[in-house]
Amino acid sequence: MPFLAVGLRIQPSEAHLQRTRRSVNAQIQQELSSVISSTSIIMEPNDADWANETERYMQSIKPRVQLSVRPGREDDVAVIVGYANQHNIPFYAVSRGHALTTSVGLFEGIEIDLKSLNTIHINPNNQTAQFGGGVYSQQAISTLWDRGFVTATGGCSCVSVLGPALGGGHGFQQGQHGLTSDHFVNLNVVLANGTAVRVNENSHPDLWWAMRGAGHNFGIITSFESKIWPDNFKTYYVRSYQFSSSSLEALVEQVNIFQGNGTLDPVWLASFGLYTMNTTLSQTEATISWVFLYDGDKRGAAPALKPFDNLQPLSVEEVNVPYKTINDQVGGAVDSYLCEPNKTHIIGTANLQTYNVTSMRAIYDLYNQKISQHPSLGKTRVLVEGYSVKGVRSFKSDDSAYPLRDENILTYFDVRFDSSDDPLIDFATEWRNQTVALWNAGEPERKPTAYVNYAAGYESLEARYGYESWRLDRLRKLKHEYDPDNKFAWYNPIVPPNSRH
């Protein structure tokens, strides 16, 4: 326990420890409440709303939160960090609690919950907006769309804007504009020592570089200014296909043609493929779903989709939707299966240039083999995400810490369990490892890479932060400068927790 000094010879009882925790928590609450705003909320484990306050997406890697502080004002964050440092208490900032990596489970201390810092203000120039650090994706999408604008966020509506952005930030605007982090204008950051600074290309430019791609390692963003673009309340065309096994090779080959090895026209937001069981179509083998999202109407999209119509799909659905519901079309709605909290997920990822037909077949056959052994795992998702990358590549690779601008495709493997002690977890982990290995085997000339926001924590630092030696060298030097005591060590850390730099 970071709050307690436990003697070496006498092992206190659990009851004694709990009484001591309550006493220490009460003291911290009293002291903190006297120095932060009256609109702040401090909770401890005995509070009625504790379970909701500390709810996580991944129950199996929950941080061990001893006290949760929800700042009511932006400047409270620096005060909380200063207090934690003064009393040698670890701290961890959270916006929506969707971290996937195992390293967050090593944390024990004070949680700084940013969810009350959730304001959105469109600036008078109608070119940028100011966002609080607790704003989540659907909130940003809906608020801006109601005013006729869009901004760059992820494709999952329940996650924060900032969390993915600190690792780069893929999403449906990237073909036109680039990653979410590419359109930051200003960041208000609390550093490890409790200092609040403004970070941009002219102020702390080295930290500006690091925050866009490896930002979880360097500070807490309490608010940020980012670019927005007019959308004028238009609709987007979405066509979804379901295919059987017999179409797999022809489908993958056609998707490769459609994606164009990184040359997909940004008028196409993305194409997503998914292997999963759909028992209304087949009881014995996975269905192959592929969805295409187009910035325009059916007439404009139809010529490019004609080859897929000719592949004898099991079903075809089409819809025109406003941008505010675009994430729903890929299963990313706030109330979707994908967003349900308090589950255990066995996840894996790899980045690709193009789809290897042989590997995609092997992954599909492996899926069916595993489901035949354990049908209860039929909701397992093997997902591939093919965004347009023109906007991403319009920025120089060395302009930020994000290292993967030459990647065209994201992949995501996910087996979900209701508990963290399910007897099939080892089985699912082996399946994960086999699937990721097959993705990587499809491009044997390339080194494995992993989008840091999809990384589970077992991937190498180079896979997450770049194989060019200068990248990790620069990150480590900046870590030594800005966080020598490694306070920010809980999300895919550059320096392992409990290590100094």
Side-chain angles (χ1 to χ4, degrees), residues 75-87:
D75 57 5
D76 289 327
V77 176
V79 177
I80 297 166
V81 170
Y83 177 90
N85 285 336
Q86 182 181 355
H87 294 83

Side-chain angles (χ1 to χ4, degrees), residues 99 337 414 483:
Y337 179 85
D414 181 10
D483 186 15

Side-chain angles (χ1 to χ4, degrees), residues 37-348:
S37 67
S38 60
T39 54
S40 300
I41 299 171
I42 303 176
M43 291 190 191
E44 60 97 20
N46 286 328
D47 289 331
D49 205 36
W50 180 253
N52 289 332
E53 177 64 19
T54 57
E55 181 179 78
R56 302 287 300 184
Y57 182 67
M58 291 275 277
Q59 65 171 341
S60 57
I61 55 170
K62 290 183 69 170
R64 289 165 289 174
V65 178
Q66 305 301 320
L67 203 70
S68 178
V69 186
R70 192 186 302 178
R73 295 193 324 215
E74 189 172 351
D75 57 5
D76 289 327
V77 176
V79 177
I80 297 166
V81 170
Y83 177 90
N85 285 336
Q86 182 181 355
H87 294 83
N88 198 30
I89 303 171
F91 56 86
Y92 174 71
V94 60
S95 184
R96 295 286 287 181
H98 275 255
L100 301 174
T101 182
T102 55
S103 55
V104 300
L106 301 175
F107 173 78
E108 185 172 8
I110 290 178
E111 172 188 86
I112 304 174
D113 182 355
L114 302 177
K115 67 167 57 76
S116 293
L117 305 181
N118 60 1
T119 57
I120 300 174
H121 174 73
I122 297 175
N123 291 323
N125 61 14
N126 283 338
Q127 295 178 351
T128 64
Q130 193 76 18
F131 300 86
V135 169
Y136 66 97
S137 290
Q138 188 59 47
Q139 179 192 0
I141 292 168
S142 295
T143 300
L144 292 176
W145 188 88
D146 289 343
R147 298 280 300 276
F149 295 96
V150 294
T151 194
T153 68
C156 189
S157 294
C158 53
V159 304
S160 69
V161 176
L162 263 182
L166 292 175
H170 286 280
F172 295 128
Q173 291 297 322
Q174 70 173 56
Q176 290 284 358
H177 303 294
L179 303 170
T180 304
S181 58
D182 290 332
H183 298 288
F184 285 157
V185 177
N186 288 294
L187 307 175
N188 292 318
V189 181
V190 174
L191 301 177
N193 63 6
T195 303
V197 297
R198 172 68 63 91
V199 178
N200 55 45
E201 60 184 352
N202 298 312
S203 174
H204 302 281
D206 49 356
L207 191 57
W208 175 249
W209 177 87
M211 294 295 294
R212 295 172 301 133
H216 310 88
N217 288 272
F218 291 96
I220 303 171
I221 298 180
T222 56
S223 67
F224 62 100
E225 182 183 3
S226 194
K227 293 179 183 178
I228 60 175
W229 307 281
D231 191 59
N232 299 318
F233 308 106
K234 63 187 177 183
T235 59
Y236 295 74
Y237 178 73
V238 181
R239 187 181 295 182
S240 302
Y241 296 89
Q242 305 280 338
F243 296 96
S244 68
S245 169
S246 61
S247 299
L248 190 150
E249 282 76 10
L251 171 63
V252 174
E253 289 173 356
Q254 192 58 52
V255 172
N256 278 334
I257 294 171
F258 173 85
Q259 293 286 147
N261 196 17
T263 63
L264 179 63
D265 191 321
V267 72
W268 291 96
L269 305 187
S271 76
F272 279 27
L274 177 69
Y275 297 167
T276 196
M277 294 300 294
N278 182 342
T279 54
T280 62
L281 296 175
S282 175
Q283 297 283 336
T284 59
E285 65 176 20
T287 299
I288 307 166
S289 304
W290 223 283
V291 58
F292 298 85
L293 301 97
Y294 180 72
D295 183 355
D297 58 20
K298 178 178 180 178
R299 182 173 57 182
L305 297 179
K306 182 65 175 176
F308 300 99
D309 296 335
N310 296 334
L311 295 178
Q312 299 181 318
L314 299 172
S315 67
V316 181
E317 297 179 358
E318 56 186 1
V319 65
N320 294 285
V321 297
Y323 194 79
K324 70 188 299 182
T325 63
I326 199 75
N327 286 356
D328 301 8
Q329 305 306 311
V330 293
V334 169
D335 58 355
S336 67
Y337 179 85
L338 182 63
C339 282
E340 287 184 26
N342 295 322
K343 306 296 181 183
T344 292
H345 298 259
I346 304 301
I347 62 169

